[in-house]
Amino acid sequence: MIVFTAIFGDYDILHPHPNLPGVDWIAFTDNPAMDPQGWDLRIEAPRFDHPRLAAKWYRCHPPTDGKALWLDGSIMWRDLEYLIRIEEMLDRHDMVCLRHIYRDCVYEEVMASVPLEKYRGQPLGAQMDFLRRRRQPPKAGLWQTGILGFAAGPRPRVAASAWFAHNDILTYQDQLSFPYIVDLYELNVGELPGGFWENPAFTYIHHRRED
């Protein structure tokens, strides 16, 4: 399995991780001076001007056709047993991630996103209108996608590529478009145990930037 992340515009720093035989840790970045902290650095120019969108492109295009686990640059991983559990779950699911701990509705998530600095200038209202026109139901579930596992094969990758198109064309508030993509592609998404903010398997480290 490959664990991968992407950091552009010095949005985050890399964090150390435990090692597990058969697991490779790959980080895409535009900063050749970044401390690798045990990651295999891949130096690449950003594909998009905004570092958030530049990183999300890599999340939606895993660097392998086999099992892969995306970690947001804010995540410091600690637990090997949880990693093994994810790998096992990917034998039964197209993708795996955490449920949103506060909301279960994309429309409520839109309203919660409006005042946030990181979404300033993003056409959140237009995205909400798009989802309503596509009859995306309310209260149909919401996911946190800072940790996202991909099963082997093309099925989750085709869906993820379409998901990125929504990030690019509509908004990079990806939690809004993910449930729509899950339904559209009839993905079997496995729910990871625990929450995002307090989880013994990893620690969330605040971004260095909030724009």
Side-chain angles (χ1 to χ4, degrees):
M1 184 167 74
I2 287 178
V3 180
F4 68 110
T5 191
I7 298 171
F8 291 91
D10 291 325
Y11 220 86
D12 296 288
I13 61 173
L14 287 170
H15 306 291
H17 58 78
N19 290 310
L20 184 68
V23 176
D24 296 322
W25 300 72
I26 297 175
F28 297 93
T29 182
D30 57 347
N31 181 4
M34 181 173 287
D35 184 349
Q37 295 282 3
W39 293 77
D40 176 9
L41 285 188
R42 306 287 177 87
I43 309 303
E44 299 196 9
R47 296 169 182 263
F48 297 87
D49 291 337
H50 199 289
R52 283 185 180 272
L53 196 58
K56 290 174 190 292
W57 185 92
Y58 286 89
R59 180 191 53 189
C60 293
H61 299 86
T64 175
D65 291 330
K67 294 178 183 177
L69 177 66
W70 161 265
L71 298 183
D72 186 89
S74 61
I75 300 297
M76 182 170 66
W77 200 265
R78 299 199 308 264
D79 192 317
L80 289 179
E81 292 299 322
Y82 198 97
L83 199 61
I84 293 170
R85 184 169 184 177
I86 289 174
E87 192 167 12
E88 293 172 345
M89 289 179 67
L90 289 172
D91 288 329
R92 308 186 302 274
H93 301 282
D94 296 314
M95 292 180 174
V96 296
C97 58
L98 293 160
R99 285 278 183 186
H100 200 290
I101 60 174
Y102 298 127
R103 287 172 287 281
D104 65 354
C105 177
V106 291
Y107 303 110
E108 293 176 3
E109 182 67 8
V110 169
M111 301 311 297
S113 300
V114 167
L116 299 181
E117 174 65 27
K118 61 183 177 180
Y119 299 129
R120 179 174 293 182
Q122 292 288 295
L124 296 168
Q127 183 154 15
M128 184 164 63
D129 291 343
F130 171 87
L131 294 172
R132 283 176 171 156
R133 289 197 304 272
R134 297 304 189 279
R135 302 184 185 278
Q136 182 67 18
K139 299 289 186 179
L142 201 61
W143 303 88
Q144 289 187 300
T145 53
I147 297 169
L148 184 63
F150 295 80
R155 179 178 168 82
R157 285 152 181 80
V158 170
S161 181
W163 182 31
F164 180 77
H166 282 253
N167 283 231
D168 183 23
I169 297 170
L170 292 172
T171 80
Y172 55 64
Q173 211 307 25
D174 50 73
Q175 292 174 339
L176 301 178
S177 48
F178 188 70
Y180 172 75
I181 292 296
V182 168
D183 292 346
L184 182 66
Y185 286 86
E186 300 181 336
L187 296 177
N188 178 4
V189 178
E191 181 178 350
L192 293 175
F196 184 79
W197 302 113
E198 295 184 4
N199 195 308
F202 58 86
T203 299
Y204 171 78
I205 310 294
H206 285 286
H207 295 298
R208 301 173 73 186
R209 295 170 52 180
E210 290 301 329
D211 57 324

